């Protein structure tokens, strides 16, 4: 068995750099195997995202009979910690510890929070669903606590983990190393969604407990393996009494000049534009184009395929010195055509046009994410990768969460008005509510282009990261 494993590993490492667009990120200082092991924390984060935003939504509403609005509130609770990612990253940059670790304590703390949240979550959901003798506020309080713990752990682990990756990787490959971690996040989401779907196909309360507590255990195991002997101890860097800047001063210095602010504004607008349809795409296919459940489920694969293709093309162009701002702008332009195709699919009654639009949404979103993250990393000053990645993650996660809530609300409100004939006889179809959201996304993408346009060609960020070919590392979170 050992010899077979050695053969498989050798062949994978030989074929990887040739066929995987980011697999050439490995260096002598940070071999590919070590980076892939570190990337396991992203797999655990992807698993948590799938559970919070997908699997538990359906189980709680359909099988447990919990009202939709309660679950919506619970799922949105982790967003409370998203704006704090910049502060988390800053604190890990300047952590004080006699042990000499900066990132490990934060990743470990995030892991413990995720473990705790998943451990109590199944029992809290069962009580919330009314299947217990407990009455009163215990169910809502327990469920809120569980979602808050998982959300806080997710944001802390991901922010500190990405910062650790940038610490370990040589400067010329840092953005590519971060991108590899985000591809692992995508793979973790895809694989875990398939596994959870199979396990919970025959639902029972016992199986729900097993899945969530199993997720807690798997999170702990994956993150321990990811952290093992990754960060070298450096007591001089974390000693007490050393000069440590205030967060306000570091944040002001990071934003100085206006370019970072403009990038973050463009990031927020673009992320909102690509995320607003996240919970609407499958219902649109089913309600407007009358696709089957199986056909709408395939949309996730189309989105993921478009994103991975975007990674591959970004690898080639950034490796040749392409400007990351222009790449992000190209992603926004592709998004405009993507949402226009989705809009046109209703009057054309064309599932082919709808699928093309879905694929282009993933493709445009991938290009936009790669470009903005690469640009953000190019603006990192000194030893503040945690602050830079935290700021990027805070804006991205907050914009995505708020956009999803806004998209769902607009669809319900405008769709309800259309159904009541309040918008006129010509606007009564189920597509009206969805169309309003997609039209708003197109407007947001034009605003994104206006925000990011002046930055194109204004910095050497693309050239700094192009000394080596782009690797598995530029996808955002």
């Amino acid at each position: 068995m050992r010899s077979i494993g050695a053969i498989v590993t050798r062949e994978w490492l030989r074929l990887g750099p040739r066929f995987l667009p980011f697999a050439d990120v490995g260096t002598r200082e940070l071999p590919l195997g070590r980076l892939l092991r570190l990337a396991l924390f992203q797999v655990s984060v992807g698993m948590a995202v799938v559970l919070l935003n997908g699997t538990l939504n359906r189980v709680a509403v359909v099988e447990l009979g919990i009202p939709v609005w309660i679950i919506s509130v619970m799922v949105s609770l982790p967003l409370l910690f998203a704006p704090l990612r910049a502060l988390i990253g800053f604190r890990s940059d300047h952590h004080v510890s006699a042990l000499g670790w900066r990132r490990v304590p934060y990743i470990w703390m995030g892991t413990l929070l995720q473990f705790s949240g998943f451990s109590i979550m199944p029992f809290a959901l069962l009580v919330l669903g009314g299947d217990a003798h407990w009455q009163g506020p215990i169910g809502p309080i327990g469920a809120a606590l569980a979602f808050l713990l998982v959300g806080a752990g997710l944001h802390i682990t991901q922010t500190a983990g990405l910062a650790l990756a940038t610490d370990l990787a040589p400067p010329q490959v840092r953005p590519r190393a971060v991108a590899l971690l985000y591809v692992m996040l995508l793979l973790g989401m895809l694989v875990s969604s398939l596994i959870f779907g199979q396990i919970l196909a025959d639902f029972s309360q016992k199986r729900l407990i097993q899945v969530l507590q199993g997720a807690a255990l798997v999170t702990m195991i994956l993150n321990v393996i990811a952290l093992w002997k990754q960060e070298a101890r450096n007591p001089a860097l974390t000693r007490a009494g050393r000069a440590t800047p205030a967060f306000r001063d570091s944040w002001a210095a990071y934003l100085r000049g206006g370019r970072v602010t403009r990038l973050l504004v463009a990031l927020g607008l673009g992320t909102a534009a690509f995320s607003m349809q996240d919970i609407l795409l499958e219902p649109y296919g089913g309600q407007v184009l009358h696709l089957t459940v199986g056909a709408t489920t395939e949309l996730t694969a189309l989105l993921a395929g478009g994103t991975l293709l975007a990674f591959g093309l970004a690898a080639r162009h950034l490796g040749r010195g392409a400007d990351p701002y222009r790449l992000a702008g190209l992603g926004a332009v592709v998004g405009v055509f993507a949402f226009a195709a989705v809009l046109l699919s209703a009057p054309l009654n064309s599932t082919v046009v709808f699928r093309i639009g879905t694929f282009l949404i993933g493709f445009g979103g991938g290009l936009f994410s790669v470009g903005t993250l690469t640009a953000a990393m190019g603006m990192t000053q000194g030893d503040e990768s945690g602050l830079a990645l935290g700021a990027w993650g805070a804006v991205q996660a907050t914009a995505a969460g708020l956009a999803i809530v806004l998209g769902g609300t607009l669809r319900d409100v405008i769709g309800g008005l259309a159904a009541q004939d309040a918008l006129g006889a010509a606007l009564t179809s189920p597509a009206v509510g969805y169309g309003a959201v997609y039209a708003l996304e197109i407007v947001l993408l034009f605003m994104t282009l206006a925000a990011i346009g002046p930055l194109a060609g204004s910095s050497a960020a693309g050239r700094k990261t192009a000394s080596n070919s782009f690797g598995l590392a530029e996808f955002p979170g």
Side-chain angles (χ1 to χ4, degrees):
M1 290 296 294
R2 184 175 301 176
S3 61
I4 294 175
I7 293 172
V8 171
T9 301
R10 184 175 64 251
E11 292 301 313
W12 171 256
L13 292 177
R14 182 178 67 84
L15 294 175
R18 185 177 177 185
F19 293 103
L20 295 178
F22 309 108
D24 60 342
V25 70
T27 64
R28 178 176 298 179
E29 298 89 344
L30 183 61
L32 180 59
R34 182 181 176 189
L35 183 57
L36 287 173
R37 180 164 63 84
L38 176 62
L40 290 176
F41 82 85
Q42 284 285 69
V43 176
S44 71
V45 169
M47 178 177 64
V49 170
V50 167
L51 282 171
L52 293 182
N53 296 338
T55 305
L56 291 180
N57 273 342
R58 184 243 152 78
V59 167
V61 174
V62 178
E63 276 77 15
L64 298 181
I66 301 174
V68 175
W69 72 268
I70 293 180
I71 293 302
S72 299
V73 171
M74 296 300 171
V75 171
S76 66
L77 286 176
L79 289 177
L80 295 175
F81 292 92
L84 300 177
R85 288 178 66 139
L87 178 60
I88 293 168
F90 170 79
R91 296 293 298 175
S92 70
D93 286 336
H94 303 283
H95 184 63
V96 175
S97 170
L99 295 176
W101 282 328
R102 294 192 303 165
R103 315 298 185 187
V104 167
Y106 286 86
I107 300 175
W108 182 242
M109 181 185 300
T111 301
L112 291 178
L113 290 174
Q114 285 179 268
F115 179 87
S116 302
F118 280 134
S119 296
I120 66 175
M121 188 176 291
F123 306 106
L125 289 176
L126 292 177
V127 173
L128 187 63
D131 191 11
H133 297 294
W134 300 93
Q135 300 296 326
I138 294 179
I141 291 175
L145 178 61
F147 278 88
L148 281 171
L149 287 172
V150 174
L154 185 155
H155 289 299
I156 293 172
T157 297
Q158 190 175 55
T159 300
L162 293 174
L164 175 58
T166 62
D167 293 341
L168 296 177
Q172 69 273 17
V173 298
R174 280 179 182 171
R176 291 160 46 207
V178 173
L180 166 59
L181 298 179
Y182 272 99
V183 170
M184 294 298 290
L185 173 68
L186 180 61
L187 293 177
M189 292 174 65
L190 289 175
V191 172
S192 58
S193 63
L194 293 175
I195 293 175
F196 292 143
Q198 289 294 321
I199 295 176
L200 291 173
D202 184 16
F203 178 81
S204 68
Q205 294 182 356
K206 179 180 179 181
R207 185 153 293 185
L208 177 64
I209 296 172
Q210 291 172 336
V211 166
L212 289 177
Q213 295 201 329
L217 179 61
V218 171
T219 296
M220 181 70 72
I221 293 173
L222 289 177
N223 289 359
V224 168
I225 295 174
L227 278 180
W228 189 256
K229 294 186 177 181
Q230 292 283 12
E231 184 179 18
R233 293 177 57 190
N234 186 356
L237 192 62
T238 62
R239 72 182 187 280
R242 76 187 192 284
T244 302
F247 173 72
R248 180 181 299 177
D249 296 336
S250 293
W251 182 248
Y254 181 62
L255 297 180
R256 190 171 296 132
R259 289 176 60 248
V260 172
T261 301
R262 180 174 283 274
L263 174 62
L264 293 179
V265 169
L267 171 64
L269 291 171
T271 300
F274 281 109
S275 301
M276 200 172 286
Q277 52 74 41
D278 276 1
I279 61 172
L280 302 180
L281 202 63
E282 292 191 31
Y284 180 88
Q287 190 173 5
V288 176
L289 297 176
H290 309 293
L291 295 176
T292 64
V293 175
T296 57
T297 303
E298 294 172 358
L299 298 176
T300 302
L302 283 173
L303 281 170
T307 303
L308 289 175
L309 178 60
F311 288 164
L313 292 180
R316 172 174 297 181
H317 292 291
L318 286 176
R320 295 176 178 176
D323 187 338
Y325 299 110
R326 296 182 192 275
L327 188 70
L330 176 60
V333 171
V334 172
V336 170
F337 285 100
F339 291 120
V342 173
L343 278 173
L344 288 173
S345 66
L348 295 176
N349 194 27
S350 173
T351 59
V352 174
V353 173
F354 177 60
R355 289 187 171 94
I356 291 173
T358 300
F359 179 83
L360 290 178
I361 290 173
F363 183 75
L367 289 180
F368 180 78
S369 297
V370 168
T372 53
L373 182 60
T374 305
M377 289 305 301
M379 293 179 176
T380 302
Q381 299 176 354
D383 193 24
E384 293 187 342
S385 59
L387 177 63
L389 283 167
W392 193 97
V395 173
Q396 194 267 350
T398 303
L402 293 177
I404 290 173
V405 174
L406 178 60
T409 303
L410 284 177
R411 193 226 73 89
D412 288 346
V413 171
I414 297 177
L417 292 174
Q420 297 170 11
D421 247 352
L423 302 179
L427 298 175
T428 58
S429 74
V432 173
Y434 295 102
V437 176
Y438 290 127
L440 177 58
E441 288 178 300
I442 292 175
V443 172
L444 287 175
L445 286 174
F446 279 117
M447 294 172 65
T448 301
L449 289 170
I452 207 170
L455 294 174
S458 64
S459 85
R463 299 173 186 84
K464 286 170 63 179
T465 59
S467 56
N468 287 347
S469 59
F470 182 83
L472 251 187
E474 322 222 352
F475 182 45

